[in-house]
Amino acid sequence: MNKDSKIYIAGHRGLVGSAILKNLKSKGYHNLVFKTHDELDLTDTLQVASFFKKEKPEYVFLAAAKVGGIVANNVYRADFIYDNLMIQNNVIHQSYKNGVKKLLFLGSTCIYPKNAPQPMLEDYLLTDVLEYTNEPYAIAKIAGIKMCESYNIQYDSNFISVMPTNLYGPNDNFDLEKSHVLPALVRKIHLGKSLENDNWDAIRKDLYHLPIEKTDGNASKEKILLVLNKHGIKKIDNKISIEIWGSGKPMREFLWSEDMADASVFIMENRDFKDCIEDIKEIRNSHINIGTGVDISIKDLAYLIKKEIGFKGGFYFNIEKPDGTIKKLTDVSKLSSLGWVYRMGIKEGVSALYNWYLKKK
Ligand SMILES: NC(=O)C1=CN([C@@H]2O[C@H](COP(=O)(O)OP(=O)(O)OC[C@H]3O[C@@H](n4cnc5c(N)ncnc54)[C@H](OP(=O)(O)O)[C@@H]3O)[C@@H](O)[C@H]2O)C=CC1
Ligand SMILES: C[C@H]1O[C@H](OP(=O)(O)OP(=O)(O)OC[C@H]2O[C@@H](n3cnc4c(=O)[nH]c(N)nc43)[C@H](O)[C@@H]2O)[C@@H](O)[C@@H](O)C1=O
């Protein structure tokens, strides 16, 4: 890529896409193309074909997808498989048809078997059964990897797949039902602290601007308490207790979205598909894990956020909600061997996410 290259960022308003856009701009790339979901529905084959024909991007970052936390994946199973297959089929196929020089496809570490040995090497793909809660999403992501590999082999294209670990950062989704654990806990604990301090203005502002349920700016305390209670923020005998889904025992590895964006741009600048191949006779598992190689339990994460926010109350564990995979730590040796390492550790990251959340409200 050179600074004048025409680069299309699919999903530029999302968590990762917005960070990729920021990273590219900061490095002097200026010929950038992007469209909102309303302007271009990537599940629509005709719209995507006409967009590529008109714009002719040279490079593509495919960061648009149907994304959500464990419960959203489990509930909206059809949407997660349909939307993701359609988006990636359309974007990857039109990239081939329109001579895109290089494409980066973003998968996820949920492509690996539920009980994969830890840490997980790229070669563990398709060696055992997947985690049930996100099987449809994972199947779509595996199809994306195999689509990139197959086009590279048959058509000599240059499509690279990366498998990010759990991500968080600016422009994250804070919806308490559909989001991932980190933004959900930041928001719930912030609401818990506001309740602890009788800061009803802060609670009203939160519910109004980032609605978990549309509550108007003047909602009564009783109505607000009902909404909070429904989302696992409970006041019992003047003590606040916050719901943690599952047992709190699962381990997760978290990467700051701006580090993810930096790794994505680094790979686009420094790596071609042919560099990712180990066996030229049977090309497979050419994807690259992106993570930190460090994980933390959900329980410890909750206590870390509690400390950062200054919440004095407690937690309760709701085992009616799924735990998901018990551990999914990436082996990042392939990525490290290229010379890329992450910058933001989890402690600073939690603080940065909370500050972003407070400013955004
Ligand atoms: N967040 C995470 O923890 C992880 C994410 N990933 C992967 O990283 C990539 C980016 O994820 P993330 O940034 O978190 O996701 P976000 O939900 O934050 O962003 C996704 C973006 O895609 C857009 N989009 C979704 N559907 C369509 C569509 N049909 N047409 C056009 N645009 C669409 C969304 O627009 P709109 O909101 O308007 O629909 C949004 O801007 C995805 O491939 C995801 O699978 C991988 C591992 C972990
Ligand atoms: C990125 C990844 O994201 C999804 O997988 P996940 O890692 O399980 O994602 P999660 O962030 O939603 O949960 C992590 C853990 O945390 C627990 N947990 C506690 N309390 C809350 C809570 O309040 N909200 C959420 N969401 N989880 C909670 C939760 O029960 C689980 O044990 C995949 O479906 C798939 O899409 C994928 O690739």
Side-chain angles (χ1 to χ4, degrees):
M1 284 194 309
N2 66 54
K3 306 294 175 200
D4 299 323
S5 300
K6 190 164 191 179
I7 306 171
Y8 169 45
I9 303 111
H12 73 287
R13 293 209 292 197
L15 170 69
V16 184
S18 62
I20 290 174
L21 185 62
K22 185 175 165 194
N23 188 290
L24 286 168
K25 282 185 180 166
S26 76
K27 290 182 173 141
Y29 293 97
H30 56 90
N31 195 0
L32 309 174
V33 190
F34 37 82
K35 292 267 181 237
T36 64
H37 191 159
D38 283 347
E39 291 164 342
L40 173 62
D41 179 357
L42 294 170
T43 64
D44 184 321
T45 306
L46 293 179
Q47 282 188 33
V48 179
S50 117
F51 167 78
F52 270 83
K53 199 169 163 199
K54 179 167 172 255
E55 293 292 347
K56 291 278 177 199
E58 296 169 88
Y59 295 87
V60 172
F61 286 85
L62 178 39
K66 178 93 184 163
V67 180
I70 189 164
V71 166
N73 268 267
N74 200 18
V75 172
Y76 304 105
R77 301 177 79 86
D79 297 348
F80 273 78
I81 192 160
Y82 178 80
D83 283 20
N84 286 315
L85 283 173
M86 291 303 284
I87 292 171
Q88 66 204 39
N89 282 352
N90 287 335
V91 174
I92 295 168
H93 186 65
Q94 289 306 325
S95 293
Y96 152 65
K97 295 262 280 185
N98 289 278
V100 164
K101 291 178 184 161
K102 204 190 286 189
L103 171 144
L104 193 78
F105 168 67
L106 274 70
S108 164
T109 53
C110 67
I111 58 155
Y112 294 115
K114 178 184 174 69
N115 297 315
Q118 303 290 318
M120 304 180 300
L121 279 166
E122 285 83 356
D123 275 339
Y124 296 166
L125 178 63
L126 293 174
T127 54
D128 207 342
V129 292
L130 298 165
E131 155 61 26
Y132 180 76
T133 51
N134 56 32
E135 192 178 60
Y137 172 80
I139 294 276
K141 293 296 187 184
I142 294 170
I145 300 175
K146 292 302 159 194
M147 191 161 174
C148 289
E149 263 176 11
S150 305
Y151 276 60
N152 293 341
I153 296 166
Q154 186 177 343
Y155 298 130
D156 204 23
S157 52
N158 192 7
F159 300 161
I160 301 174
S161 301
V162 288
M163 297 306 119
T165 185
N166 292 45
L167 306 169
Y168 68 107
N171 300 316
D172 219 328
N173 173 7
F174 286 84
D175 180 296
L176 292 181
E177 277 163 8
K178 295 184 183 157
S179 68
H180 291 102
V181 62
L182 226 160
L185 290 188
V186 162
R187 187 171 184 200
K188 286 200 272 194
I189 296 172
H190 168 74
L191 283 165
K193 181 190 166 186
S194 305
L195 194 54
E196 208 163 53
N197 294 342
D198 264 334
N199 191 344
W200 293 93
D201 284 347
I203 298 171
R204 283 198 179 92
K205 203 171 153 199
D206 185 288
L207 298 183
Y208 188 71
H209 287 291
L210 286 165
I212 47 181
E213 194 160 284
K214 290 240 187 270
T215 317
D216 67 62
N218 299 313
S220 67
K221 290 182 183 177
E222 289 69 28
K223 185 172 178 200
I224 289 175
L225 281 174
L226 279 176
V227 172
L228 294 179
N229 195 62
K230 184 178 159 201
H231 290 283
I233 302 140
K234 300 194 188 235
K235 188 171 185 177
I236 303 160
D237 297 335
N238 257 355
K239 209 169 174 283
I240 314 300
S241 190
I242 308 263
E243 178 191 52
I244 309 288
W245 293 357
S247 65
K249 289 180 188 157
M251 305 290 293
R252 289 292 182 273
E253 175 192 10
F254 296 99
L255 179 70
W256 182 245
S257 59
E258 293 178 342
D259 280 346
M260 173 62 205
D262 194 63
S264 302
V265 174
F266 174 85
I267 288 169
M268 283 290 260
E269 287 176 333
N270 295 296
R271 202 84 176 152
D272 287 319
F273 173 69
K274 62 178 166 39
D275 307 323
C276 308
I277 304 169
E278 273 164 24
D279 177 351
I280 54 161
K281 284 197 217 102
E282 279 197 13
I283 296 170
R284 51 168 68 128
N285 302 340
S286 53
H287 57 281
I288 306 169
N289 289 340
I290 304 198
T292 62
V294 181
D295 59 5
I296 179 171
S297 74
I298 297 303
K299 183 178 177 189
D300 288 349
L301 176 72
Y303 279 93
L304 178 67
I305 300 173
K306 169 181 153 103
K307 194 169 169 204
E308 171 59 32
I309 292 183
F311 170 59
K312 295 188 194 71
F315 298 113
Y316 66 97
F317 296 89
N318 180 357
I319 54 164
E320 301 286 304
K321 289 276 187 349
D323 266 343
T325 310
I326 237 28
K327 188 172 170 85
K328 47 174 175 175
L329 182 63
T330 55
D331 185 310
V332 284
S333 36
K334 200 168 181 181
L335 178 65
S336 315
S337 71
L338 306 178
W340 188 89
V341 279
Y342 74 100
R343 292 194 196 95
M344 185 85 92
I346 186 69
K347 276 191 190 157
E348 310 167 68
V350 162
S351 169
L353 184 69
Y354 187 46
N355 285 329
W356 184 87
Y357 180 70
L358 289 178
K359 275 197 201 120
K360 193 74 190 163
K361 288 194 309 105

